[in-house]
Amino acid sequence: MVFLSRKHLESILLISFAIAAILLALPREHKEEENGGGGTKTTTPIPTVAFNTLPPPTFHVFVLSVIFAVTFSFSAILMLDTDNNGTRNNCNYYSQLHIVLVRFFEGASLASIASALAILCQALFLTATSSTCWPPNTTSSLLLYLRC
């Protein structure tokens, strides 16, 4: 079972808010994507710093992961505040259900922030290693240097 302290939940909440604030400040580029049913295309603003090499649905999953991390960690913090004096070992049915819900929110917030950070690391890695970052002369001279 997952037992996160209040400080861990607060740090997940702060990291999620920081990611969201940084996302609002990044420059964006509108990319076209096809909708599922009718073949219509829509444009989506995607940050060009990290997510320009990935398809737009990957950015959407990243944003949803950040939203879920904020929601679940905030819910777990609120449920910990309503707990009976901070103890988790009362024997009635309500308190057992309360403990199960708090544990679920703790685990879901941890899974959400982990998936958001994994997607962000993947996006940053693919952007850093993409061929569009290198000027063409540098690439060819680097390849010639590596052959020798």
Side-chain angles (χ1 to χ4, degrees), residues 15 19 62 65 112-122:
I15 289 169
I19 290 173
F62 172 73
S65 296
S112 297
I113 196 66
S115 64
L117 291 176
I119 292 170
L120 182 63
C121 288
Q122 177 192 15

Side-chain angles (χ1 to χ4, degrees), residues 58-105:
T58 307
F59 177 68
H60 297 158
V61 171
F62 172 73
V63 170
L64 282 175
S65 296
V66 171
I67 291 171
F68 287 150
V70 167
T71 305
F72 287 135
S73 62
F74 191 65
S75 298
I77 289 171
L78 287 178
M79 289 187 79
L80 282 175
D81 285 346
T82 61
D83 202 1
N84 297 334
N85 299 327
T87 61
R88 292 188 181 189
N89 30 346
N90 289 339
C91 294
N92 60 11
Y93 176 75
Y94 174 75
S95 66
Q96 291 175 355
L97 180 65
H98 189 272
I99 292 169
V100 169
L101 283 175
V102 169
R103 287 183 185 166
F104 170 74
F105 287 143

Side-chain angles (χ1 to χ4, degrees), residues 1-4 99-100 103-104 106-107:
M1 292 288 168
V2 177
F3 290 107
L4 295 176
I99 292 169
V100 169
R103 287 183 185 166
F104 170 74
E106 289 173 349

Side-chain angles (χ1 to χ4, degrees), residues 3-19:
F3 290 107
L4 295 176
S5 68
R6 183 181 173 91
K7 290 184 179 185
H8 289 113
L9 291 169
E10 288 174 353
S11 66
I12 290 173
L13 190 65
L14 288 175
I15 289 169
S16 302
F17 277 136
I19 290 173

Side-chain angles (χ1 to χ4, degrees), residues 18 20 32 46 52 55 59 102 114 134:
E32 287 188 2
I46 305 291
N52 59 350
F59 177 68
V102 169
W134 292 66

